[in-house]
Amino acid sequence: MGTYDALLVVSFGGPEKPDDVMPFLENVVRGRGIPRERLLEVEAHYQRFGGASPINQQCRDLIAAVEPTLDIPVYWGNRNWHPYLEDTLRRMAADGVRKAAAFVTAAYSSYSACRQYLDDIALARAAVEGAPEVVKLRHYFDHPGFVAAMADHTREALERLPAGLRDSARLVFTAHSIPLSMARTAGPNGGAYEAQLRRTAALVAAELGGDRPWDLVWQSRSGAPHIPWLEPDVCDHLRVLDAPAAVLVPIGFVSDHMEVVYDLDVEAAETAKEIGLPLVRAATAGTHPRFVSMVGELLAEPEPARCPPGCCPAPLRRPATAGEAR
């Protein structure tokens, strides 16, 4: 931690009361031509849960767990809702912070999971006089702390199944779908988003021991129907799954976004009930002790190399996502 004098937790942001929901969604999709009816549809998902996303409170919980383990202050800034990155960087500048490490609540490579955060940090810094230098910490999809947290949560989920189904339940790893065009250009050589997710899934499955079968499927697809996205969708997969039970493992998320609690806990759960499939969902990494300690371990590593030019380029047409993208 020697070269950094602060940690900046960077996240997507989310509404915290009913009146926040539509302004938040309009913020997320500004300039992307999303039909009003689509925003109203997504707004209804939030209002079903009292108009509040879990993500902001989960960021507070993570910061409360991480801060006592560090000898530097921890700040928090969001891309799409309060506290905004620009406001946080202004406060950091006033506090005399010169160089901060950024821990982004997205573990993988892609435009929306990495490059867009870098771009937003750069825009926020440009708007703040005397803004500190900000160095984004490396991707941590294969870090033992993240893997151990997800493996523990998967074990806990398996324990919620009837005893006779635990050994034969299939692991169904889920992540946010993205357009195929974005998936093909993810990372320096392309294809990194899906490859990294498959690596995480394999590591988590290996932690559980044995030779348990698993699948990687996708959730939370939105946008124009004619644009191809990563498939299969989790609900479509559950309908054809040949297994006595399943455990959904949301490795594509580090906390319970609205996509997790709605798309998995509501839609996927309803699909499983409809077809008579016993189904449980593993928790996200959250404040698991190994995930918390991982943040300090990342800070202690050598400063990561900057992304090469052309890595995870912006899509020609930005995907029409109206929810929390990782």
Side-chain angles (χ1 to χ4, degrees):
M1 294 177 227
T3 62
Y4 306 115
D5 49 13
L7 174 69
L8 172 61
V9 174
V10 184
S11 197
F12 193 86
E16 300 195 76
K17 59 183 186 294
D19 289 347
D20 290 347
V21 177
M22 186 54 72
F24 161 75
L25 293 175
E26 290 170 343
N27 238 6
V28 173
V29 304
R30 183 173 287 116
R32 292 157 65 181
I34 305 301
R36 186 70 177 178
E37 56 269 24
R38 173 57 183 161
L39 292 185
L40 292 171
E41 178 187 342
V42 177
E43 181 189 31
H45 298 173
Y46 284 89
Q47 301 298 2
R48 179 172 180 153
F49 291 90
S53 165
I55 188 172
N56 273 7
Q57 187 56 50
Q58 294 216 351
C59 282
R60 294 187 185 98
D61 294 343
L62 179 61
I63 291 166
V66 167
E67 196 160 27
T69 72
L70 307 179
D71 58 6
I72 54 176
V74 181
Y75 295 82
W76 166 36
N78 290 325
R79 279 174 42 193
N80 297 292
W81 202 244
H82 307 282
Y84 287 108
L85 268 170
E86 183 178 327
D87 296 334
T88 300
L89 285 173
R90 188 169 286 110
R91 182 160 65 92
M92 293 170 72
D95 290 347
V97 175
R98 303 297 298 274
K99 185 175 182 179
F103 176 80
V104 174
T105 59
Y108 303 92
S109 298
S110 77
Y111 170 72
S112 55
C114 182
R115 172 62 62 185
Q116 196 169 13
Y117 281 100
L118 289 170
D119 291 347
D120 287 345
I121 289 170
L123 286 171
R125 289 189 68 240
V128 175
E129 184 177 354
E133 178 185 355
V134 179
V135 177
K136 181 181 177 294
L137 297 174
R138 70 169 174 89
H139 300 297
Y140 48 87
F141 64 92
D142 57 352
H143 192 285
F146 182 44
V147 172
M150 293 310 302
D152 277 355
H153 288 324
T154 304
R155 290 188 193 96
E156 292 164 2
L158 284 164
E159 289 297 314
R160 297 200 302 272
L161 286 171
L165 296 177
R166 293 170 191 166
D167 290 340
S168 54
R170 193 170 187 93
L171 303 181
V172 179
F173 294 97
T174 75
H176 203 299
S177 184
I178 60 175
L180 287 183
S181 58
M182 187 189 296
R184 293 189 187 108
T185 58
N189 302 307
Y193 182 65
E194 185 172 1
Q196 290 171 358
L197 281 156
R198 291 193 180 280
R199 174 65 175 159
T200 304
L203 289 170
V204 172
E207 280 280 313
L208 299 176
D211 192 24
R212 187 182 294 274
W214 58 268
D215 306 299
L216 175 63
V217 303
W218 310 95
Q219 61 172 91
S220 313
R221 184 231 151 97
S222 62
H226 68 278
I227 298 175
W229 287 49
L230 289 170
E231 295 179 338
D233 174 77
V234 58
C235 291
D236 293 340
H237 182 74
L238 293 177
R239 291 183 186 280
V240 299
L241 185 64
D242 184 15
V247 180
L248 297 180
V249 187
I251 55 169
F253 306 83
V254 303
S255 61
D256 282 8
H257 295 205
M258 184 54 65
E259 275 104 337
V260 176
V261 298
Y262 185 83
D263 297 349
L264 298 185
D265 296 347
V266 175
E267 289 190 333
E270 289 175 352
T271 298
K273 183 177 180 180
E274 176 189 327
I275 62 179
L277 176 70
L279 180 74
V280 291
R281 196 261 287 179
T284 48
T287 57
H288 186 285
R290 283 295 290 117
F291 188 67
V292 169
S293 64
M294 178 197 77
V295 179
E297 293 166 19
L298 291 172
L299 279 167
E301 293 180 356
E303 188 173 313
R306 296 187 183 277
C307 294
C311 184
C312 299
L316 295 178
R317 292 185 62 186
R318 296 181 67 185
T321 53
E324 294 166 358
R326 297 146 303 281

